[in-house]
């Protein structure tokens, strides 16, 4: 008997985020699965999510899920850590038979597979909403049983990345200030628990007190989980490779930033204006 995903293997993979940051996930998915079509949605009209309430983030996320379902995606990847923290279960319920993967579960799984030994100390950096939700802590406890989790919210890193100040002195000082929270913690691993943070990997590595701390990039982790899922369920596309973007506002600005994030030109960006009317 064939599964839903086998029947729908030529359909696109839907990836969504509060804005531009989820392109770090799209880039990792493109690298891991080059023959898949990708449909990316960035909620540029309502970004940032990381400072909003759980109820608001959940409502937005369900509207986007409906949009992706209307577009006929075969799988949904929640690229946004804040959405994964606030609305994962609601999205899974809404998506029904469409598989849903999220960056938090993928990051926790990557930690459990990285052989850190018993009761590792894991640092998590993320938005205020992600840190307050403790979703990473719960996912890590579920995967590892015993783990010490130390969290730090880094709210200024999202606007710095959006501004393109990735290697700017201000970014270096900001990263240093936040990472100081881990100065006496002997971290075995640090999870980059926000879409934008992989852009600061170089700076973070420079200021981390120990060079032995493994850096876990949730974008890489979810791309690996998606590949594993498609392998296990026979859902690979072997003929695709398209990359279509949809945004809720300012497509030109998205294009400028997206090309910087992806390091390649983007041609097709459509605007979606009626998200709220989809229920
Ligand atoms: N995409 C968000 C996340 O990964 C960061 C940007 C925002 O606050 O919306 O948590």
């Amino acid at each position: 008997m064939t599964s839903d995903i086998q029947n729908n293997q030529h359909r696109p993979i839907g990836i969504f985020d509060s804005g531009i940051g989820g392109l770090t996930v799209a880039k990792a998915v493109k690298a891991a699965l080059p023959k898949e079509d990708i449909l990316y949605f960035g909620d540029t009209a309502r970004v940032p999510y990381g400072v909003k309430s759980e109820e608001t983030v959940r409502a937005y996320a369900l509207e986007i899920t409906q949009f992706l379902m209307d577009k006929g995606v075969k799988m949904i990847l929640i690229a946004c850590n804040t959405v994964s923290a606030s609305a994962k279960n609601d999205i899974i319920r809404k998506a029904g038979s469409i598989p849903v993967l999220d960056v938090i579960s993928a990051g926790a799984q990557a930690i459990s597979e990285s052989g850190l030994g018993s009761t590792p100390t894991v640092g998590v950096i993320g938005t205020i909403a992600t840190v307050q939700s403790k979703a990473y802590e719960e996912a890590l406890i579920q995967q590892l049983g015993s783990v010490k989790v130390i969290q730090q919210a880094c709210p200024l890193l999202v606007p710095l990345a959006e501004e393109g100040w990735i290697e700017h002195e201000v970014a270096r000082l900001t990263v240093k200030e936040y990472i100081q929270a881990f100065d006496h913690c002997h971290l075995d691993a640090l999870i980059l628990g926000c879409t934008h943070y992989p852009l600061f990997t170089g700076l973070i590595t420079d200021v981390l007190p120990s060079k032995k701390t493994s850096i876990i990039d949730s974008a890489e982790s979810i791309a690996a989980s998606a590949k594993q899922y498609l392998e296990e369920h026979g859902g690979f596309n072997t003929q695709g490779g398209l990359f279509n973007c949809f945004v809720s506002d300012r497509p030109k600005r998205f294009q400028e930033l997206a090309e910087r994030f992806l390091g390649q030109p983007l041609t097709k960006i459509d605007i979606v204006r009626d998200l709220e009317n989809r229920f």
Side-chain angles (χ1 to χ4, degrees), residues 226-276:
K227 188 172 181 187
Q228 190 183 345
Y229 186 95
L230 293 178
E231 248 158 28
E232 284 170 9
H233 294 82
F236 276 129
N237 189 354
T238 50
Q239 297 161 17
L242 295 176
F243 185 48
N244 289 336
C245 290
F246 293 83
V247 293
S248 47
D249 202 6
R250 301 186 70 194
K252 274 262 160 281
R253 166 89 177 138
F254 177 88
Q255 180 164 14
E256 257 171 58
L257 290 170
E259 290 180 352
R260 203 183 300 161
F261 260 61
L262 291 171
Q264 67 172 73
L266 272 184
T267 44
K268 193 155 167 36
I269 302 169
D270 291 310
I271 189 151
V272 181
R273 292 217 184 268
D274 61 344
L275 267 188
E276 305 81 29

Coordinates of all heavy atoms in Angstrom, one line a residue, residues 226-276:
A226 N 14.1 16.2 7.4 CA 13.2 16.1 6.3 C 13.6 15.1 5.3 O 12.9 14.3 4.8 CB 13.1 17.5 5.6
K227 N 15.0 15.0 5.1 CA 15.5 14.0 4.2 C 15.3 12.6 4.7 O 14.8 11.7 4.0 CB 17.0 14.3 4.0 CG 17.7 13.5 3.0 CD 19.1 13.9 2.7 CE 19.7 13.0 1.6 NZ 21.1 13.3 1.4
Q228 N 15.5 12.5 6.0 CA 15.3 11.2 6.6 C 13.8 10.7 6.5 O 13.5 9.6 6.1 CB 15.7 11.3 8.1 CG 15.7 9.9 8.8 CD 16.0 10.1 10.3 OE1 16.5 11.1 10.7 NE2 15.8 9.1 11.0
Y229 N 12.9 11.7 6.7 CA 11.5 11.4 6.6 C 11.1 10.9 5.2 O 10.4 9.9 5.0 CB 10.6 12.6 7.0 CG 9.2 12.2 7.1 CD1 8.6 11.9 8.3 CD2 8.4 12.2 5.9 CE1 7.2 11.5 8.3 CE2 7.0 11.8 5.9 CZ 6.5 11.5 7.1 OH 5.1 11.1 7.2
L230 N 11.6 11.6 4.2 CA 11.3 11.3 2.8 C 11.9 10.0 2.4 O 11.3 9.2 1.7 CB 11.7 12.4 1.8 CG 11.0 13.7 2.0 CD1 11.6 14.8 1.0 CD2 9.5 13.6 1.7
E231 N 13.1 9.7 2.9 CA 13.8 8.4 2.7 C 12.9 7.3 3.2 O 12.6 6.3 2.5 CB 15.1 8.4 3.4 CG 16.3 8.4 2.4 CD 17.6 8.9 3.2 OE1 17.7 8.8 4.4 OE2 18.4 9.5 2.5
E232 N 12.5 7.5 4.5 CA 11.8 6.4 5.2 C 10.4 6.2 4.6 O 9.9 5.1 4.6 CB 11.7 6.7 6.7 CG 12.9 6.4 7.4 CD 12.9 7.0 8.8 OE1 11.9 7.4 9.3 OE2 14.0 7.0 9.4
H233 N 9.8 7.2 4.0 CA 8.4 7.1 3.5 C 8.3 7.1 2.0 O 7.2 7.1 1.5 CB 7.5 8.2 4.1 CG 7.4 8.1 5.6 ND1 8.3 8.6 6.5 CD2 6.4 7.6 6.4 CE1 7.9 8.4 7.7 NE2 6.8 7.7 7.7
G234 N 9.4 7.1 1.3 CA 9.4 7.0 -0.1 C 8.8 8.2 -0.8 O 8.1 8.1 -1.8
G235 N 9.0 9.4 -0.3 CA 8.4 10.6 -0.8 C 9.3 11.5 -1.6 O 8.9 12.7 -1.9
F236 N 10.4 11.0 -2.0 CA 11.4 11.9 -2.8 C 10.8 12.4 -4.1 O 10.3 11.6 -4.9 CB 12.7 11.1 -3.1 CG 13.7 11.2 -2.0 CD1 14.2 10.0 -1.5 CD2 14.0 12.4 -1.4 CE1 15.1 10.0 -0.5 CE2 15.0 12.4 -0.3 CZ 15.5 11.2 0.1
N237 N 11.1 13.6 -4.5 CA 10.9 14.1 -5.8 C 12.2 14.0 -6.5 O 13.3 14.4 -6.0 CB 10.4 15.5 -5.8 CG 10.0 16.1 -7.1 OD1 10.1 15.4 -8.1 ND2 9.5 17.3 -7.1
T238 N 12.2 13.5 -7.8 CA 13.5 13.4 -8.5 C 13.6 14.3 -9.7 O 14.5 14.3 -10.4 CB 13.8 11.9 -9.0 OG1 12.6 11.5 -9.6 CG2 14.1 11.0 -7.8
Q239 N 12.5 15.1 -9.8 CA 12.4 15.9 -11.0 C 12.2 17.4 -10.8 O 12.0 18.2 -11.7 CB 11.2 15.4 -11.9 CG 11.3 14.0 -12.4 CD 9.9 13.5 -12.7 OE1 9.0 14.2 -12.9 NE2 9.9 12.1 -12.8
G240 N 12.2 17.8 -9.5 CA 11.9 19.2 -9.2 C 13.2 20.1 -9.0 O 14.2 19.8 -9.7
G241 N 13.0 21.1 -8.2 CA 14.2 22.0 -7.9 C 13.7 23.4 -8.0 O 14.5 24.3 -7.8
L242 N 12.4 23.7 -8.1 CA 11.9 25.1 -8.2 C 11.9 25.7 -6.8 O 11.7 24.9 -5.8 CB 10.5 25.1 -8.7 CG 10.3 24.7 -10.1 CD1 8.8 24.7 -10.5 CD2 11.0 25.6 -11.1
F243 N 12.1 27.0 -6.7 CA 12.0 27.6 -5.4 C 11.1 28.9 -5.5 O 11.5 29.8 -6.2 CB 13.5 28.1 -5.0 CG 13.5 28.7 -3.7 CD1 12.9 28.0 -2.6 CD2 14.2 29.8 -3.4 CE1 13.0 28.6 -1.3 CE2 14.3 30.4 -2.2 CZ 13.7 29.8 -1.1
N244 N 9.9 28.7 -5.0 CA 8.9 29.8 -5.1 C 8.7 30.5 -3.7 O 8.5 29.8 -2.7 CB 7.6 29.3 -5.6 CG 7.6 29.0 -7.1 OD1 8.5 29.5 -7.8 ND2 6.8 28.1 -7.5
C245 N 8.7 31.8 -3.7 CA 8.5 32.5 -2.5 C 7.2 33.3 -2.4 O 6.9 33.9 -3.5 CB 9.7 33.5 -2.2 SG 11.2 32.7 -1.9
F246 N 6.6 33.3 -1.3 CA 5.4 34.1 -1.1 C 5.6 34.9 0.2 O 6.2 34.4 1.2 CB 4.2 33.2 -0.8 CG 3.7 32.5 -2.1 CD1 4.4 31.3 -2.4 CD2 2.8 33.0 -2.9 CE1 4.0 30.6 -3.6 CE2 2.4 32.3 -4.1 CZ 3.0 31.1 -4.4
V247 N 5.2 36.2 0.2 CA 5.4 37.0 1.4 C 4.1 37.8 1.6 O 3.3 37.9 0.6 CB 6.6 38.0 1.2 CG1 7.9 37.3 1.2 CG2 6.4 38.9 0.0
S248 N 3.9 38.3 2.8 CA 2.7 39.1 3.1 C 2.8 40.6 2.9 O 1.9 41.3 3.0 CB 2.1 38.7 4.5 OG 3.2 38.8 5.4
D249 N 4.1 41.0 2.7 CA 4.3 42.5 2.5 C 5.7 42.7 1.9 O 6.6 41.8 2.0 CB 4.2 43.2 3.8 CG 3.9 44.7 3.6 OD1 3.7 45.1 2.5 OD2 3.9 45.4 4.7
R250 N 5.9 43.8 1.2 CA 7.2 44.3 0.8 C 8.1 43.3 0.1 O 9.2 42.9 0.5 CB 8.0 44.9 2.0 CG 7.2 46.0 2.6 CD 8.1 46.7 3.7 NE 9.1 47.5 3.1 CZ 10.2 47.9 3.8 NH1 10.3 47.7 5.1 NH2 11.1 48.6 3.2
P251 N 7.6 42.7 -1.1 CA 8.4 41.7 -1.8 C 9.8 42.2 -2.3 O 10.7 41.4 -2.3 CB 7.5 41.4 -3.0 CG 6.4 42.4 -3.1 CD 6.3 43.0 -1.7
K252 N 9.9 43.5 -2.6 CA 11.2 44.0 -3.1 C 12.2 44.0 -2.0 O 13.4 43.6 -2.2 CB 11.0 45.5 -3.5 CG 10.6 45.6 -5.0 CD 11.8 45.8 -5.9 CE 11.5 45.5 -7.3 NZ 11.6 44.1 -7.7
R253 N 11.8 44.4 -0.8 CA 12.7 44.4 0.4 C 13.1 42.9 0.7 O 14.2 42.6 1.0 CB 12.0 45.0 1.6 CG 12.6 44.8 2.9 CD 13.7 45.9 3.2 NE 14.2 45.7 4.6 CZ 15.5 45.8 4.9 NH1 16.4 46.1 3.9 NH2 16.0 45.6 6.1
F254 N 12.1 42.0 0.6 CA 12.3 40.6 0.9 C 13.4 40.1 -0.1 O 14.3 39.4 0.2 CB 11.0 39.8 0.7 CG 11.2 38.3 0.9 CD1 11.1 37.7 2.1 CD2 11.5 37.5 -0.2 CE1 11.3 36.4 2.3 CE2 11.7 36.1 0.0 CZ 11.6 35.6 1.2
Q255 N 13.2 40.5 -1.4 CA 14.1 40.0 -2.4 C 15.6 40.4 -2.1 O 16.5 39.6 -2.2 CB 13.7 40.5 -3.8 CG 14.6 40.1 -4.9 CD 14.0 40.3 -6.3 OE1 13.0 40.9 -6.4 NE2 14.6 39.6 -7.3
E256 N 15.7 41.7 -1.8 CA 17.1 42.2 -1.4 C 17.7 41.4 -0.3 O 18.9 41.0 -0.4 CB 16.9 43.7 -0.9 CG 17.2 44.8 -1.8 CD 16.8 46.1 -1.1 OE1 17.3 46.4 0.1 OE2 15.9 46.8 -1.7
L257 N 16.9 41.3 0.8 CA 17.5 40.6 1.9 C 17.7 39.1 1.6 O 18.7 38.5 2.0 CB 16.6 40.7 3.2 CG 16.5 42.1 3.8 CD1 15.4 42.2 4.8 CD2 17.9 42.5 4.4
A258 N 16.7 38.5 0.9 CA 16.8 37.1 0.6 C 18.0 36.7 -0.2 O 18.6 35.7 0.0 CB 15.5 36.6 -0.1
E259 N 18.3 37.6 -1.1 CA 19.5 37.3 -2.0 C 20.7 37.3 -1.2 O 21.7 36.6 -1.4 CB 19.5 38.2 -3.2 CG 18.3 37.9 -4.1 CD 18.2 38.8 -5.4 OE1 19.0 39.7 -5.5 OE2 17.4 38.4 -6.3
R260 N 20.7 38.2 -0.1 CA 21.9 38.3 0.8 C 22.0 37.0 1.6 O 23.0 36.4 1.8 CB 21.7 39.5 1.6 CG 23.0 40.0 2.2 CD 22.8 41.2 3.1 NE 22.2 42.3 2.5 CZ 21.6 43.3 3.2 NH1 21.6 43.3 4.5 NH2 21.1 44.3 2.6
F261 N 20.8 36.6 2.1 CA 20.7 35.3 3.0 C 21.2 34.1 2.1 O 21.9 33.3 2.6 CB 19.3 35.1 3.4 CG 19.0 35.5 4.8 CD1 19.1 36.9 5.2 CD2 18.5 34.6 5.8 CE1 18.8 37.3 6.5 CE2 18.2 35.0 7.0 CZ 18.4 36.3 7.4
L262 N 20.6 34.0 0.9 CA 20.8 32.8 0.1 C 22.1 32.9 -0.7 O 22.6 31.8 -1.1 CB 19.7 32.6 -0.8 CG 18.3 32.2 -0.2 CD1 17.2 32.3 -1.3 CD2 18.3 30.9 0.4
G263 N 22.6 34.0 -0.9 CA 23.8 34.2 -1.8 C 23.5 33.8 -3.2 O 24.4 33.4 -4.0
Q264 N 22.3 34.0 -3.7 CA 21.9 33.8 -5.1 C 20.7 34.6 -5.5 O 19.9 35.0 -4.6 CB 21.6 32.3 -5.3 CG 20.4 31.8 -4.6 CD 20.0 30.4 -5.0 OE1 20.7 29.4 -4.6 NE2 19.0 30.2 -5.8
P265 N 20.5 34.9 -6.8 CA 19.4 35.7 -7.2 C 18.0 35.0 -7.0 O 18.0 33.7 -7.2 CB 19.6 36.1 -8.6 CG 20.8 35.3 -9.1 CD 21.4 34.5 -7.9
L266 N 17.0 35.7 -6.8 CA 15.6 35.1 -6.7 C 14.7 35.8 -7.7 O 14.8 37.0 -7.8 CB 15.0 35.4 -5.3 CG 15.3 34.5 -4.1 CD1 14.5 35.0 -2.9 CD2 14.9 33.1 -4.5
T267 N 14.0 35.0 -8.4 CA 13.2 35.7 -9.5 C 11.7 35.8 -9.1 O 11.0 36.7 -9.4 CB 13.4 35.0 -10.8 OG1 13.3 33.6 -10.6 CG2 14.7 35.3 -11.5
K268 N 11.2 34.7 -8.5 CA 9.7 34.7 -8.3 C 9.3 34.9 -6.8 O 9.5 34.0 -6.0 CB 9.2 33.3 -8.8 CG 7.8 33.3 -9.0 CD 7.3 32.2 -10.0 CE 5.8 32.0 -9.9 NZ 5.0 33.1 -9.6
I269 N 8.8 36.1 -6.6 CA 8.3 36.4 -5.2 C 6.9 36.9 -5.4 O 6.7 38.0 -6.0 CB 9.2 37.4 -4.5 CG1 10.6 36.8 -4.4 CG2 8.7 37.7 -3.1 CD1 11.6 37.8 -4.0
D270 N 5.9 36.2 -4.8 CA 4.5 36.7 -4.9 C 4.0 37.2 -3.6 O 4.4 36.8 -2.6 CB 3.6 35.5 -5.4 CG 3.8 35.1 -6.8 OD1 3.9 36.0 -7.7 OD2 4.1 33.9 -7.0
I271 N 3.1 38.2 -3.7 CA 2.5 38.7 -2.5 C 1.2 38.1 -2.2 O 0.4 37.9 -3.1 CB 2.5 40.3 -2.5 CG1 2.1 40.8 -1.2 CG2 1.6 40.8 -3.6 CD1 2.7 42.2 -0.9
V272 N 0.9 37.8 -0.9 CA -0.4 37.2 -0.5 C -1.0 38.2 0.5 O -0.4 38.5 1.5 CB -0.1 35.9 0.3 CG1 -1.4 35.2 0.7 CG2 0.7 34.9 -0.5
R273 N -2.2 38.7 0.2 CA -2.8 39.7 1.0 C -4.0 39.3 1.8 O -4.5 40.0 2.7 CB -3.3 40.9 0.1 CG -2.1 41.6 -0.6 CD -2.4 43.1 -0.7 NE -1.4 43.8 -1.4 CZ -0.3 44.3 -0.8 NH1 -0.2 44.3 0.5 NH2 0.6 45.0 -1.5
D274 N -4.5 38.1 1.6 CA -5.8 37.7 2.2 C -5.6 36.5 3.2 O -6.5 35.7 3.3 CB -6.8 37.3 1.1 CG -6.3 36.1 0.3 OD1 -5.1 35.8 0.3 OD2 -7.1 35.5 -0.4
L275 N -4.5 36.5 3.9 CA -4.3 35.4 4.8 C -5.4 35.1 5.8 O -5.8 34.0 6.1 CB -3.0 35.6 5.6 CG -1.7 35.1 5.0 CD1 -0.6 35.3 6.1 CD2 -1.8 33.6 4.7
E276 N -5.9 36.2 6.4 CA -6.9 36.1 7.5 C -8.2 35.5 7.0 O -9.0 35.0 7.8 CB -7.2 37.5 8.1 CG -6.1 38.3 8.6 CD -5.4 39.0 7.5 OE1 -6.0 39.4 6.5 OE2 -4.1 39.2 7.6

